[in-house]
Each structure stands twice: as C-alpha cells, then as structure tokens.
Amino acid sequence: MEKPLIELRRILKKYNEGKENELEILHGIDLNIYPGEFVAIVGESGSGKSTLMNIIGVLDHQTSGTYILDGEDVSTLGKDEMSAIRNKKIGFVFQNFNLIARMSALDNVELPMLYAGVSKKERIQKATDLLKMVGMEDRMDHEPNSLSGGQKQRVAIARALGNNPSILLADEPTGALDQETSFQVLKIFKQLNEQGKTIVIVTHSQEIAEACERIVTISDGRIVKDTRNECDIL
C-alpha cells in the first residue's frame, strides 16, 4: 500500500500556551496526502487553514501531534533543519508572488537554486527551461514591475520548481488575479500535477477548490469534510 507523502496525526496548535490569553487554533487534525494528489484545503478566514498550511510547509511547529513528511518525522526539527527540508522538498507559491523587485524573472527563478548551491551554468539552464515551460520565455529579462499579475505568478511557479520539490504548496495563488488569469494559472498547476507533482492549494474560494481532485474543508480548526471531485472545470 502506498505511503502518504504528508501524514498529519492529531495535530494541535496553540498560541500563547500556558498564558491567560492562550488560543487553540487547530484541534487535532488528522490528514494524509498521497504522492501525485491535487488537493485543495478550503476554509473561511479564521478557520485555521493558514495555520495548517504553515505546519504542512514546515514554516511552523505544531504544539502537539506528529507530522511525517516524505517518511521523515519533522515534528522536532530545529530552524536550520526546517529550512533545509523546505528548500529540498517544498516549492511555495504565494498570493502576492514574493518576487524580488529589482531582479529579472530569470534571476528570481535562479534564487532558490543559488541557495541550494547549484552552479551558475546549471541555474541559468534550468531557470530558462522552467520559464519556457510556464510560457514566459519572452519575458525572462523583465523585472516584476513590468509584468502583469498572471505573468508574475507564472514566474513564481517556475521559481517554486527550481529545486525539483516533491510538493508544491500554494497559498491563495489566484487571490490577486482576475478570473480568466486565475484559470490560466490553475491549468499550469493541473499540467504539473499530470507530470507527477503533488500539489496542495490553500484557498477560501470554493470555485478554486473545484479545480482540484480532492477538497479538504476546514472549519473552526477541524476537518469537517474530505471529498473527491471530478475536477472538470479546467
């Protein structure tokens, strides 16, 4: 039987633990995500989905419970180990793109590979190939302020793929885009999923969730629904 790529067991997250203003956000989350899945985690603001995303993305630790990522228990890792795991296994795509303003599209895509110690020649070749893959071959020398929102997100997706992560984790990736551009970006995710990438999209939009093959709904810090979807809108 195939093992989960992401395995969350009894994940509980508290802030200000032990203090008068202690707040529990996640109340014992159990979730498996398998290699090659295309999953939406959907919920309203305040539902706990962003907190869950931070734990899945190894950006934060849970208060209790176990998180196994690609066979490795990441529950007790230190900051440097967490950073190494993120750089190797997870590609991030954010709502606001997070591109470096005074760097070209090519340089932005190269950046994670630079941190990973990839040679300059290999970085340029791979970044060029990735930008071509997302349809940005004619904008490689352009800085972000000369790109549209959809073009910026394409560059961000290419950057997220630089170190060939096993997971793409997208936080409201279409939140700053119009509907037509949103579906163009979602089609790129769909194509990457068909090539074998595991993709997790965190969103408040049911419409965006409907583009995914599996929809996990979170409310008040608990998973309240986990359904398969025909994904026929792309």
Side-chain angles (χ1 to χ4, degrees):
M1 186 175 178
E2 189 175 33
K3 291 184 178 179
L5 182 58
I6 292 168
E7 184 176 0
L8 302 170
R9 286 287 170 266
R10 301 177 300 281
I11 296 296
L12 186 146
K13 180 62 179 179
K14 294 180 180 180
Y15 292 100
N16 305 314
E17 187 177 12
K19 298 181 180 178
E20 193 173 312
N21 60 341
E22 179 178 288
L23 183 62
E24 186 173 300
I25 303 296
L26 299 179
H27 312 298
I29 296 286
D30 289 314
L31 179 65
N32 286 345
I33 295 175
Y34 291 87
E37 284 199 293
F38 189 13
V39 181
I41 296 176
V42 64
E44 299 296 331
S45 295
S47 62
K49 67 182 187 301
S50 294
T51 301
L52 181 59
M53 184 211 73
N54 287 338
I55 291 171
I56 291 173
V58 201
L59 295 164
D60 195 8
H61 276 311
Q62 66 273 22
T63 303
S64 64
T66 303
Y67 178 19
I68 307 295
L69 174 61
D70 199 13
E72 182 174 3
D73 187 347
V74 298
S75 302
T76 58
L77 296 181
K79 288 184 178 180
D80 289 345
E81 295 167 308
M82 289 170 71
S83 178
I85 288 285
R86 288 194 302 271
N87 201 37
K88 180 181 179 183
K89 295 185 182 293
I90 305 171
F92 292 92
V93 181
F94 298 100
Q95 176 176 343
N96 295 320
F97 321 121
N98 288 13
L99 301 176
I100 307 299
R102 296 190 179 183
M103 294 177 68
S104 69
L106 185 70
D107 289 339
N108 266 283
V109 176
E110 279 187 60
L111 201 56
M113 292 182 272
L114 173 65
Y115 293 146
V118 178
S119 71
K120 179 69 172 176
K121 182 178 180 180
E122 186 178 348
R123 290 199 312 267
I124 292 173
Q125 182 61 60
K126 193 167 184 180
T128 299
D129 291 343
L130 288 168
L131 285 166
K132 287 179 179 178
M133 185 187 72
V134 298
M136 289 294 290
E137 61 267 31
D138 59 343
R139 294 287 189 273
M140 288 193 288
D141 295 328
H142 290 233
E143 294 180 357
N145 62 6
S146 66
L147 300 175
S148 70
Q151 289 171 335
K152 289 176 186 176
Q153 200 57 295
R154 287 171 183 263
V155 174
I157 292 170
R159 179 188 58 190
L161 294 167
N163 289 327
N164 194 28
S166 50
I167 301 163
L168 278 185
L169 182 57
D171 181 19
E172 300 282 7
T174 64
L177 307 177
D178 60 55
Q179 187 178 49
E180 181 180 353
T181 307
S182 294
F183 279 95
Q184 290 172 357
V185 168
L186 285 169
K187 284 180 180 178
I188 294 174
F189 282 122
K190 180 65 174 174
Q191 290 163 0
L192 291 168
N193 178 249
E194 289 171 349
Q195 294 167 15
K197 288 292 179 191
T198 303
I199 298 177
V200 181
I201 294 179
V202 179
T203 182
H204 71 279
S205 169
Q206 191 64 38
E207 187 175 24
I208 297 304
E210 290 292 339
C212 302
E213 295 172 347
R214 180 181 169 196
I215 302 174
V216 176
T217 304
I218 185 169
S219 178
D220 295 326
R222 293 180 173 87
I223 292 175
V224 294
K225 190 184 291 186
D226 187 346
T227 58
R228 296 288 167 182
N229 183 44
E230 292 298 323
C231 189
D232 58 359
I233 66 173
L234 291 182

